[in-house]
Amino acid sequence: MVRAGLTTERLTRAGAELADEVGFDQVTVSALARRFDVKVASLYSHLKNSDDLRTRIALFALEELADRVAAALAGRAGKDALTAFADAYRDYAREHPGRYAAARLRLDPETAAASAGVRHAQMTRAILRGYDLTEPDQTHAVRMLGSVFHGYVSLEMAGGFSHTAVASQETWTWILDRLDALLRNWTTP
C-alpha cells in the first residue's frame, strides 16, 4: 500500500531539500525513504530508482533557477541584465548548493532538450542580443559566461576566496564590469 500523501512531486521536492542539506551526491531513494520513515519499496511506485530521483531533482532545479533568473531579468537590458542574470545564479547556488549541483547533472539529449536548460540558453542569448553579437561569437560568449559564472561560484563555495583581504563581492563586481566591457567592445579576430 502506498503511503498517503506521497507523490512524485513531493518526493522530488524533498529530494531537492535533502540535496541542499547533505549534498546532491548523497541523495538516494534509500535516503529519501528514511526521511519519510517508509520502506524503500513504497517509493518505487513513484520513482524508478535513484538515477530517476536525481534526474527529477535536476529538472526541478533547472526549472526553479530559470524562473528565478527570468524574474531577475524582467525589464532589464545591457549591463543591468548581465548583472541580474549573474547575481541570480550566484544567489541560487549559495542558497541551494545541492540543487545547484543537481542543475549540473548530465542529462540524456532528449531529457535535456525538454528541460528548462533550454530557457537558460535562451535567456543568455537574449542578454547577448543587447551587445550585438552574431554567430558564432554569440555561442562563444554563452559558453564564456557560463564558464565564468559557474567557475567563480564553485570556487567561492569551496572557500577558495576566503584567504585574502579583498572581499569576494568586490571581485565579483570587478568581473561583471570587465565582462560587460568585453562584450560591448567585442571584435571578431
Side-chain angles (χ1 to χ4, degrees), residues 2 6-7 10 19 25-26 32 40 56 77 84 94 104 108 129 135 151 154 156:
V2 176
L6 291 183
T7 64
R10 185 169 178 217
D25 291 341
Q26 301 302 311
L32 198 56
V40 173
R56 290 177 185 280
R94 291 163 134 185
R104 300 289 169 255
D108 67 74
R129 278 194 295 276
E135 285 301 341
S154 296
E156 182 179 48

Side-chain angles (χ1 to χ4, degrees), residues 31-53:
L32 198 56
R34 284 191 298 276
R35 186 177 196 98
F36 283 97
D37 194 28
V38 297
K39 294 191 184 308
V40 173
S42 67
L43 300 186
Y44 286 127
S45 61
H46 304 287
L47 302 165
K48 294 176 191 168
N49 51 39
S50 290
D51 286 340
D52 179 44
L53 171 62

Side-chain angles (χ1 to χ4, degrees), residues 16-30:
E17 292 167 4
L18 185 61
D20 287 339
E21 294 167 17
V22 302
F24 183 60
D25 291 341
Q26 301 302 311
V27 175
T28 63
V29 173
S30 296

Side-chain angles (χ1 to χ4, degrees), residues 79 82-83 131 144-145 148 170-186:
K79 184 180 178 192
L82 178 68
T83 300
Y131 291 100
M144 177 187 68
L145 293 176
V148 170
E170 185 178 337
T171 302
W172 181 251
T173 302
W174 184 91
I175 288 170
L176 295 177
D177 288 343
R178 296 321 176 272
L179 286 171
D180 174 64
L182 172 67
L183 293 168
R184 278 188 286 110
N185 298 305
W186 191 285

Side-chain angles (χ1 to χ4, degrees), residues 42-90:
S42 67
L43 300 186
Y44 286 127
S45 61
H46 304 287
L47 302 165
K48 294 176 191 168
N49 51 39
S50 290
D51 286 340
D52 179 44
L53 171 62
R54 292 167 53 79
T55 297
R56 290 177 185 280
I57 295 168
L59 295 172
F60 173 80
L62 284 168
E63 189 72 36
E64 190 175 59
L65 181 54
D67 290 346
R68 182 180 286 203
V69 171
L73 286 176
R76 291 184 161 78
K79 184 180 178 192
D80 288 342
L82 178 68
T83 300
F85 182 90
D87 286 346
Y89 271 91
R90 184 177 180 220

